[in-house]
Amino acid sequence: MANRLLAHEVSDLCLGKPPLSSIPVSATIRHALAALKSSDDTHISVWSCDLDHHSTTHDHCHCVGKICMVDIICYLCKEDNISSPSLALKAPVSVLLSPVPPGVVKHVDPSYSLLEAIDLIINGAQNLVVPIKNTTSKRKQLRQPTSLAPTTHAGGREYCWLTQEDVIRFLLSSIGLFSPTAAYSIESLGIIDTKILTINYHSPASKALAAISTSLSDQTSVAVIDDDGVLIGELSPFTLAYCDEMVAAAITTLSAGDLMAYIDCGGPPEDITKVVHARLKEKNLYGMLDEFLIYSSGIPYCNSTNSSSDEETVLSPATTRSGRYNRSDKFIMRRAEAIVCHPRSSLVAVMIQAIALRVSYVWVIEEDCTVVGIVKFSGILKVFQEHLESLID
């Protein structure tokens, strides 16, 4: 069984993965925004292509990065952009890619081994771009609108990408091979990262902007705590990714605690919406105010599939993401409540919890609810890497 697991290639993890949708690196941020709102995925791949049409190879196009709604929200919150969001959206999407470290998105061959994929992720890769077999004509008929078509290049080649979650989910399906390691506590395995991002509940949410951007790059979150270090909630990129871009107005005007309420499932309370409106006026941010009034009339919901069963709410398609329609029959929303475990929680329990809630991290708290650290997928993968390498030795 162990040898069979080690024999798996990246292509085995790609089975059933849909082809990537993409935008060109020359696209504007407004184009990227429209693409995100038309997609069921939280991220859109960005591609750069050699315009030599006489090329007969498949590799003259390259995925240079990825963007999500959080990238756009953080961009709009910048001082130069918050006063005129409509103008800011005319900028090229490449400005959103400049802060991203190289190697976050990496092309790999389908024959890469499972261990090689894990090694790449541990060393910073978040998305492994893999070529997939030509799709059938039936799939082509079911493609998304041309504004967000699957990435098809020379010879009809399409691509998918693998994430940390895909690899963790795959390993979880063979968790019995990792006994007794999987039953060890996260504390004993030494995978609790104490370097965490936090903001006080009463602090202006704008002070968390840099932390939100960092947490997006690190695939973690920002803990919202009280004066005693007790975990109250979080400002998670995983939740913000399902919001509309007008959350930028809320970040600019609200406290961290009020922002949690604003992005919580069910949409922002009316009183908080009024606060945002009034403070935009006070700050003379009339460009943002005009945009906010348009969106608030449709109530900017935050919709997410990152939800446990006791936190699920079904919305009609007409009430998602500021009134935009969604092709899914239903949407499940996640609250801004933090996902937690304890130092004595087992590795497998934390894995199941993270996979079930579709996040790549879990907060670690003590009995008094003070936050002591975070467990990330990258740390979990290091444990599996060491175990698998021991099988080879």
Side-chain angles (χ1 to χ4, degrees):
M1 288 294 290
N3 290 335
R4 185 182 300 177
L5 182 65
L6 288 169
H8 279 295
E9 298 178 343
V10 163
S11 58
D12 297 322
L13 279 68
C14 292
L15 295 175
K17 296 281 289 183
L20 279 177
S21 298
S22 69
I23 58 172
V25 71
S26 59
T28 65
I29 296 177
R30 187 178 296 280
H31 182 190
L33 182 62
L36 284 165
K37 290 185 175 183
S38 301
S39 174
D40 288 331
D41 198 356
T42 57
H43 288 76
I44 297 293
S45 61
V46 183
W47 289 71
S48 176
C49 292
D50 182 353
L51 297 180
D52 179 10
H53 297 291
H54 299 292
S55 174
T56 57
T57 62
H58 298 311
D59 56 358
H60 62 277
C61 285
H62 192 77
C63 183
V64 294
K66 60 177 181 174
I67 60 169
C68 69
M69 189 64 75
V70 187
D71 292 302
I72 297 176
I73 291 170
C74 290
Y75 176 75
L76 291 178
C77 285
K78 291 183 177 180
E79 186 176 352
D80 294 338
N81 302 326
I82 193 69
S83 60
S84 183
S86 59
L87 181 62
L89 292 176
K90 294 180 180 179
V93 73
S94 56
V95 302
L96 301 179
L97 300 177
S98 54
V100 180
V104 168
V105 176
K106 189 172 183 64
H107 282 255
V108 299
D109 190 85
S111 62
Y112 263 53
S113 70
L114 176 62
L115 263 178
E116 287 175 316
I118 291 174
D119 184 63
L120 288 172
I121 292 174
I122 289 175
N123 285 288
Q126 295 178 2
N127 296 74
L128 304 180
V129 181
V130 187
I132 55 180
K133 293 181 180 180
N134 291 346
T135 55
T136 64
S137 58
K138 182 177 180 181
R139 171 179 277 178
K140 291 178 181 178
Q141 293 172 359
L142 296 175
R143 282 180 177 175
Q144 297 175 9
T146 54
S147 63
L148 192 62
T151 303
T152 305
H153 303 299
R157 173 162 292 193
E158 294 182 335
Y159 295 82
C160 70
W161 62 21
L162 294 178
T163 64
Q164 293 182 357
E165 180 185 339
D166 293 321
V167 178
I168 291 289
R169 189 182 297 275
F170 184 79
L171 293 170
L172 188 59
S173 67
S174 302
I175 197 66
L177 298 177
F178 298 94
S179 180
T181 303
Y184 291 162
S185 71
I186 55 174
E187 185 176 46
S188 65
L189 292 170
I191 59 173
I192 302 175
D193 189 347
T194 57
K195 297 178 181 179
I196 57 175
L197 300 167
T198 64
I199 185 170
N200 188 277
Y201 182 88
H202 299 289
S203 296
S206 56
K207 288 189 175 182
L209 192 58
I212 291 172
S213 182
T214 299
S215 67
L216 176 64
S217 299
D218 295 344
Q219 295 192 307
T220 56
S221 184
V222 181
V224 179
I225 59 175
D226 67 9
D227 295 336
D228 298 319
V230 172
L231 184 64
I232 305 297
E234 65 176 351
L235 301 178
S236 169
F238 290 84
T239 300
L240 289 169
Y242 290 90
C243 298
D244 62 55
E245 70 273 23
M246 284 301 102
V247 170
I251 293 175
T252 304
T253 56
L254 298 177
S255 68
D258 285 341
L259 180 61
M260 283 175 54
Y262 185 94
I263 66 176
D264 209 348
C265 68
E270 184 178 353
D271 58 334
I272 293 184
T273 300
K274 290 180 179 179
V275 170
V276 174
H277 179 278
R279 290 178 181 171
L280 286 173
K281 269 188 174 181
E282 291 173 6
K283 294 174 179 287
N284 295 319
L285 297 174
Y286 291 104
M288 178 62 78
L289 178 60
D290 290 342
E291 297 286 337
F292 182 74
L293 288 174
I294 294 172
Y295 279 85
S296 60
S297 63
I299 307 180
Y301 286 104
C302 299
N303 317 301
S304 172
T305 54
N306 303 344
S307 172
S308 59
S309 58
D310 61 344
E311 294 176 341
E312 294 177 358
T313 304
V314 178
L315 293 180
S316 68
T319 58
T320 61
R321 214 186 264 169
S322 292
R324 80 172 180 89
Y325 284 85
N326 189 283
R327 293 183 299 276
S328 302
D329 291 332
K330 65 179 181 178
F331 248 87
I332 302 171
M333 305 183 304
R334 200 189 107 199
R335 302 176 64 86
E337 183 178 345
I339 301 162
V340 301
C341 66
H342 297 277
R344 291 167 296 284
S345 298
S346 68
L347 175 64
V348 65
V350 173
M351 288 175 63
I352 292 172
Q353 190 176 14
I355 288 293
L357 299 176
R358 301 296 304 278
V359 292
S360 61
Y361 64 91
V362 177
W363 294 107
V364 185
I365 62 172
E366 294 288 6
E367 295 299 329
D368 60 359
C369 293
T370 55
V371 61
V372 295
I374 195 169
V375 174
K376 301 182 288 187
F377 274 172
S378 55
I380 292 175
L381 286 173
K382 287 181 181 179
V383 174
F384 284 103
Q385 182 190 46
E386 293 172 359
H387 191 104
L388 289 171
E389 288 177 343
S390 70
L391 297 178
I392 298 175
D393 301 334

